[in-house]
Amino acid sequence: MDRPRLLLIATGGTIAGAAASADRTQGYVPGALPASALVEAVPALRGLADVVVEQPYSIGSQHLTSAHWLTLLRRLRAAAADPSLAGAVITHGTDTLEETALLVDLACDRTLPVVATGAMRPATALGADGPMNLYAAAATAVDPAARAAGAMVLMNDQVLPPDRAAKAHTSRTDAFVARDGAALAEIVDGRPRWRVPPAEAAARRPSLAAALDPLPQALPRVDLLAQHVDADPGVVDWLVSRGARGLVLAGTGHGTMPDPMRDALSRAAAAGVMVVRASRLASGPVNRNAGVDDDRWGFVPAGWLSAHKARVVTALAIAAGLDRDGLRALIDRY
């Protein structure tokens, strides 16, 4: 029987990291190993799929820019048009993996399943988690049930939806969770055991793939600012002066902020800046007009999106030409 064809896009991160000794899980160099080393570490991949390997860049994901993102999106869009491919896997640093997964899901055609994975221990460590994550991600991407599933995150034996996947621990191998939700599947004996039909889950999420065709040359600037005691509302005016077209507030509690910050953000909204009100907390939604009169002040509540994921969605929405009502309707679908 012919094996399915799989595209592996390696971008660096801990999964390709190298340390001075096998007992080191900190202080390593992310992205030190080439993509070929990742494949060679998992011989069982050969029995699973014909793997096509590409490496557009190799960095720690804390160094990602929107230029890296656009390079990745262009390649995945081309891959989605290739009928010979059954799926794609992105190996990625875990620091921003969840943001990249949501970006891909929102901006790319979902006919091609794309599974983003990484590791919490470098490839040179005893008990490295990267090889099993890579194998399980490949098995998920080529699973016939995953067709039209869009982007997913595979970490610590769970397949997570891109809007809910969250890194919740700095170093443990079980660092990833489904924020305010459940995993789409558990990995059992190297294969996904689906709890939810992934294509049905994807169909409930919004898409901007058509509106972003062609992709822009650059993404609009959207900044994230955190509310805290003595936060300076002057930062808002400074960010706008620097060219911010969107601002996402990681507010206290239910996305709250003191009056001076509210007034500064409202001035920005009145000037045409997209202002999204999110929370700095690890779980829970920010609902419309709950605690803050969003309609009066010109804000868009982030709903179930975390602050940093709301930033990704806001940037793509602006690039797609959505207005405030359009962004609100888009976020409501999450």
Side-chain angles (χ1 to χ4, degrees):
M1 182 179 294
D2 291 338
R3 290 173 299 178
R5 193 161 175 262
L6 176 76
L7 173 64
L8 171 61
I9 302 179
T11 68
T14 299
I15 193 171
S21 61
D23 61 347
R24 294 288 298 275
T25 59
Q26 305 291 319
Y28 54 87
V29 179
L33 301 180
S36 57
L38 302 183
V39 176
E40 289 167 5
V42 191
L45 277 177
R46 300 188 187 96
L48 187 66
D50 288 325
V51 183
V52 179
V53 182
E54 298 181 8
Q55 188 158 20
Y57 44 86
S58 188
I59 57 176
S61 69
Q62 72 272 26
H63 298 300
L64 273 180
T65 67
S66 56
H68 292 108
W69 269 349
L70 287 166
T71 296
L72 184 61
L73 290 178
R74 292 187 185 102
R75 181 61 191 98
L76 287 170
R77 284 191 162 205
D82 183 349
S84 73
L85 288 172
V89 169
I90 305 168
T91 57
H92 197 288
T94 59
D95 283 352
T96 56
L97 184 152
E98 61 199 85
E99 292 164 77
T100 296
L102 184 60
L103 175 103
V104 169
D105 189 66
L106 190 56
C108 291
D109 189 321
R110 291 185 182 143
T111 55
L112 183 76
V114 179
V115 183
T117 192
M120 295 301 296
R121 292 175 179 167
T124 53
L126 292 168
D129 53 325
M132 187 60 196
N133 283 345
L134 176 55
Y135 182 84
T140 299
V142 300
D143 189 321
R147 201 69 185 172
M152 296 164 281
V153 171
L154 185 292
M155 289 294 292
N156 48 269
D157 286 337
Q158 296 184 98
V159 182
L160 306 172
D163 53 324
R164 301 300 174 94
K167 186 176 180 180
H169 197 277
T170 58
S171 58
R172 287 196 323 228
T173 54
D174 62 343
F176 276 72
V177 299
R179 184 180 189 265
D180 293 308
L184 295 172
E186 301 287 336
I187 301 299
V188 179
D189 293 334
R191 298 293 191 275
R193 183 169 294 176
W194 299 101
R195 291 178 173 179
V196 179
E200 290 183 19
R204 292 194 291 268
R205 299 190 302 267
S207 174
L208 288 175
L212 289 169
D213 191 11
L215 287 168
Q217 292 302 306
L219 291 181
R221 176 171 176 163
V222 177
D223 285 290
L224 177 64
L225 61 157
Q227 179 57 50
H228 55 84
V229 174
D230 292 335
D232 183 359
V235 171
V236 173
D237 297 324
W238 181 80
L239 289 171
V240 173
S241 75
R242 296 280 293 175
R245 295 181 60 193
L247 294 171
V248 177
L249 177 73
T252 46
H254 200 284
T256 57
M257 75 290 290
D259 292 349
M261 183 65 76
R262 181 204 62 200
D263 293 342
L265 289 169
S266 185
R267 287 195 303 272
V273 176
M274 204 80 83
V275 177
V276 177
R277 185 174 63 88
S279 175
R280 67 184 192 179
L281 302 184
S283 59
V286 173
N287 295 319
R288 184 174 180 178
N289 298 328
V292 176
D293 192 337
D294 294 302
D295 295 345
R296 177 183 178 186
W297 302 110
F299 303 155
V300 176
W304 290 97
L305 293 175
S306 65
H308 51 287
K309 287 193 178 182
R311 197 201 72 81
V312 174
V313 171
T314 301
L316 289 178
I318 294 171
L322 271 62
D323 60 12
R324 186 175 297 143
D325 289 339
L327 175 60
R328 182 180 292 118
L330 185 77
I331 289 175
D332 282 348
R333 290 194 58 191
Y334 288 111

